[in-house]
Amino acid sequence: MKKILISVIFVFVAVVMAFGQQKREFRGAWIQCVNGQFLGMPTEVMKKTLAYQLDELQKDGANAIIFQVRPECDALYESPYEPWSRFLTGIQGKAPQPYWDPLAWMVEQCHNRGMELHAWINPYRAKTKTTTVLASNHIAVTAPQRVFAYDGQFIVNPGMAENRDYICKVIGDIVRRYDIDGLHMDDYFYPYPAAGEKIPDEQLFRQHSNGISNIGDWRRYNVNLFVKQLHDTIASIKPWVKFGISPFGIYRNKANDVNGSDTKGLQNYDDLYADVLLWVNNGWVDYCVPQLYWQIGHPTADYETLIKWWNKHSGNRPLYIGEDVERTAKYPDLNDKNRNQMPAKYALHKQMHNVNGTVLWYAKAVVDNVGNYGTMLRDVYWKYPALQPRMPFIDGKAPKKVKKLKPVWTKDGYVLFWTEPKGKNWKDKAVKYVVYRFARNEKVVIDDVTKIVAITTDTYYKLPYDDGKTQYTYVVTALDRMQNESKGSKKKVRL
């Protein structure tokens, strides 16, 4: 029994060492509303539910939440342009009672936990299949000519310039009024193909083709115009707000494009009219999260094939991988039927030099610890804190060092204080701090994530004083909005 226990411990330590963590890594989770998990939930119950999810995700090591706030031209926030979502109150257009603003609340809650909050919108979908009654101020009611029906849904027509302007106005309002860290879109562009359905835009194509002869090229052109316009809208208001898209996991199959992936599934380019690589290569998005929800060994969309393809072709902007928690837990490792595919997938992540993070579909599955997924994040893969990946194309300059680093005895105990460095604007103003601790004979290396003891918005850190006989070196660095890190200020203390 003792030998078995030692063997288990050895394997666990080996796993931890094998997955030495990067200091910078996007660790996100999607919290969706369109599945109805919050529909009609009382305000305090929903707050309690979300707070619990955030607490557990924080323990698991997550540093970003992608929160769905606009599923069908509606709002889980107070919008001057669109109705309250039925996925919040049960009736579209009905404000929550007691009143609250879920987006504002989530921004505050995430920031209090050191997490980023990315507001997730669905740009074109105006009605899901299950919605039967629309509010009087919904776009499908006020401007029905700008919306078309398709497979039980309503879609805001991407071919109309006024629709691009409208969506950008709605998103611009979110960016102006809320202290979000990112604006996020998923894979709903032109609708997913449905048998027997046809997109009713041929007349519009003939009238406004812009000299394009192929309707597929014209649809891609429309989406390209929108993505570029939205990127520019966000950057003009708050250039530090990151714009990210999570496309369907296949760009093109090799059968349609010699540079495509060796897969046989639905395609972004051909079926959804989403030219994702154009957006990445032109810098119209700040990060890309392909939804690689399949398992390793999938017959038509193999996970390993796809992560290698995206790593090769999508390196011009930070690349994160969309992971399906339930499917990863469900399927066994191809080489060891006694464990699921989580270790194999994370091993592939480490091998891909352009993969800078992970976004988990979906948050509740992690919180529920499906397949021990949350525990493995907490104890192995995301055990230590991580800063966000750098984005020098937005801002690459670090803030100045913190000043006046000094330990002080207070009524609350021994506290390390420092002063915020001077900064003229958002590019060099400190918004967070990283606190590191090193033992007496340890070399001070701030790239060692195991030495991080806090990432905080405070300008102080309570020291764990014991008997004053052991010497440590504390280092504090400053982070700006893009998490560029300053040089460290050091202080030796006895605890």
Side-chain angles (χ1 to χ4, degrees):
M1 184 68 183
K2 188 175 180 180
K3 288 183 177 180
I4 294 174
L5 181 59
I6 292 173
S7 177
V8 170
I9 293 172
F10 176 82
V11 170
F12 182 80
V13 172
V15 169
V16 173
M17 293 177 65
F19 290 90
Q21 292 177 13
Q22 299 293 326
K23 183 174 179 178
R24 293 183 179 272
E25 183 180 23
F26 191 89
R27 300 173 177 178
W30 281 291
I31 297 182
Q32 82 278 40
C33 68
V34 75
N35 66 340
Q37 66 171 318
F38 306 121
L39 200 153
M41 188 179 282
T43 296
E44 291 307 314
V45 176
M46 184 171 171
K47 285 182 178 180
K48 185 176 180 180
T49 300
L50 285 169
Y52 174 72
Q53 290 188 11
L54 295 179
D55 286 342
E56 292 302 299
L57 290 165
Q58 181 185 25
K59 293 173 187 175
D60 291 338
N63 60 18
I65 298 298
I66 300 176
F67 181 56
Q68 190 174 28
V69 300
R70 186 184 183 265
E72 49 179 4
C73 291
D74 54 358
L76 274 84
Y77 64 97
E78 186 175 358
S79 172
Y81 305 114
E82 296 185 319
W84 284 100
S85 176
R86 80 171 182 88
F87 292 109
L88 177 64
T89 64
I91 299 173
Q92 191 177 91
K94 179 183 177 182
Q97 295 295 332
Y99 177 83
W100 72 306
D101 184 321
L103 177 55
W105 188 86
M106 283 291 285
V107 168
E108 180 182 23
Q109 293 295 313
C110 286
H111 288 176
N112 288 345
R113 292 168 174 80
M115 298 173 172
E116 289 192 346
L117 188 285
H118 293 227
W120 163 20
I121 63 110
N122 301 96
Y124 298 120
R125 187 172 60 197
K127 186 186 83 67
T128 59
K129 291 182 181 181
T130 56
T131 297
T132 57
V133 179
L134 298 175
S136 60
N137 62 331
H138 189 274
I139 188 173
V141 176
T142 61
Q145 73 281 3
R146 288 164 50 188
V147 173
F148 63 78
Y150 187 93
D151 191 32
Q153 306 174 84
F154 287 161
I155 307 296
V156 175
N157 197 326
M160 295 182 173
E162 55 265 48
N163 285 340
R164 294 193 290 273
D165 293 341
Y166 171 72
I167 299 167
C168 287
K169 179 177 71 172
V170 170
I171 304 313
D173 171 65
I174 293 174
V175 175
R176 282 186 186 92
R177 292 194 296 117
Y178 296 88
D179 189 21
I180 61 173
D181 302 286
L183 193 287
H184 184 88
M185 286 169 24
D186 58 7
D187 53 330
Y188 290 99
F189 300 101
Y190 276 88
Y192 273 72
E197 296 278 348
K198 190 175 183 180
I199 298 174
D201 62 352
E202 291 188 359
Q203 182 177 349
L204 186 65
F205 167 58
R206 289 192 296 269
Q207 293 172 342
H208 302 283
S209 66
N210 295 295
I212 300 170
S213 60
N214 179 278
I215 195 169
D217 291 338
W218 176 74
R219 289 170 180 164
R220 278 182 287 275
Y221 170 77
N222 293 331
V223 179
N224 292 342
L225 286 177
F226 166 67
V227 170
K228 173 68 162 61
Q229 183 177 343
L230 183 53
H231 170 271
D232 292 349
T233 297
I234 295 167
S236 69
I237 300 168
K238 290 179 180 175
W240 60 85
V241 172
K242 306 165 188 177
F243 176 37
I245 293 181
S246 57
F248 182 74
I250 298 173
Y251 175 67
R252 297 195 87 186
N253 297 314
K254 187 171 286 187
N256 297 89
D257 184 339
V258 66
N259 293 315
S261 54
D262 190 11
T263 50
K264 297 176 183 178
L266 181 136
Q267 305 160 99
N268 276 292
Y269 185 92
D270 303 82
D271 301 311
L272 304 178
Y273 307 100
D275 192 350
V276 182
L277 290 192
L278 179 72
W279 312 336
V280 168
N281 290 327
N282 284 352
W284 296 347
V285 295
D286 299 319
Y287 66 87
C288 181
V289 192
Q291 298 173 20
L292 305 192
Y293 291 169
W294 304 278
Q295 69 271 24
I296 300 170
H298 190 285
T300 60
D302 173 52
Y303 178 95
E304 182 171 354
T305 297
L306 284 165
I307 194 173
K308 289 179 177 178
W309 188 91
W310 284 98
N311 178 70
K312 180 179 179 181
H313 293 276
S314 189
N316 199 42
R317 284 291 183 265
L319 172 65
Y320 316 141
I321 301 301
E323 293 283 355
D324 186 312
V325 172
E326 291 183 340
R327 186 168 295 190
T328 299
K330 174 183 176 181
Y331 286 91
D333 187 293
L334 298 186
N335 299 312
D336 183 353
K337 303 300 181 183
N338 294 317
R339 67 180 184 184
N340 64 35
Q341 291 196 353
M342 187 180 187
K345 286 186 174 182
Y346 276 78
L348 284 169
H349 278 231
K350 301 302 293 184
Q351 295 168 26
M352 305 295 117
H353 63 278
N354 282 325
V355 171
N356 306 121
T358 310
V359 184
L360 303 172
W361 177 257
Y362 47 99
K364 189 174 185 299
V366 184
V367 172
D368 292 344
N369 203 24
V370 173
N372 219 32
Y373 202 103
T375 298
M376 289 298 289
L377 289 177
R378 191 174 302 192
D379 294 342
V380 181
Y381 303 106
W382 291 356
K383 182 176 181 179
Y384 300 105
L387 307 186
Q388 295 292 342
R390 296 182 70 250
M391 294 187 175
F393 48 87
I394 296 178
D395 171 38
K397 185 180 178 181
K400 294 180 180 179
K401 294 170 61 173
V402 303
K403 299 178 179 180
K404 300 178 182 178
L405 186 63
K406 184 179 180 180
V408 177
W409 278 101
T410 73
K411 64 179 182 179
D412 295 321
Y414 205 26
V415 180
L416 185 65
F417 288 95
W418 58 88
T419 302
E420 175 185 335
K422 290 183 179 180
K424 295 180 180 179
N425 54 46
W426 70 268
K427 287 188 175 183
D428 52 18
K429 184 176 175 59
V431 296
K432 287 183 183 179
Y433 304 92
V434 187
V435 182
Y436 303 83
R437 186 174 87 159
F438 300 87
R440 183 171 187 171
N441 295 320
E442 287 180 327
K443 186 176 181 181
V444 174
V445 180
I446 64 172
D447 285 334
D448 185 350
V449 297
T450 68
K451 303 306 176 185
I452 297 175
V453 293
I455 300 175
T456 178
T457 56
D458 298 325
T459 54
Y460 58 87
Y461 173 74
K462 186 173 181 181
L463 296 167
Y465 184 82
D466 184 15
D467 55 12
K469 295 181 179 179
T470 307
Q471 181 176 291
Y472 296 94
T473 298
Y474 276 82
V475 178
V476 179
T477 61
L479 301 174
D480 62 18
R481 278 194 175 268
M482 300 310 299
Q483 298 216 353
N484 295 303
E485 188 175 21
S486 74
K487 293 180 180 179
S489 295
K490 291 189 279 188
K491 180 64 65 174
K492 292 181 180 180
V493 296
R494 289 188 177 276
L495 302 176

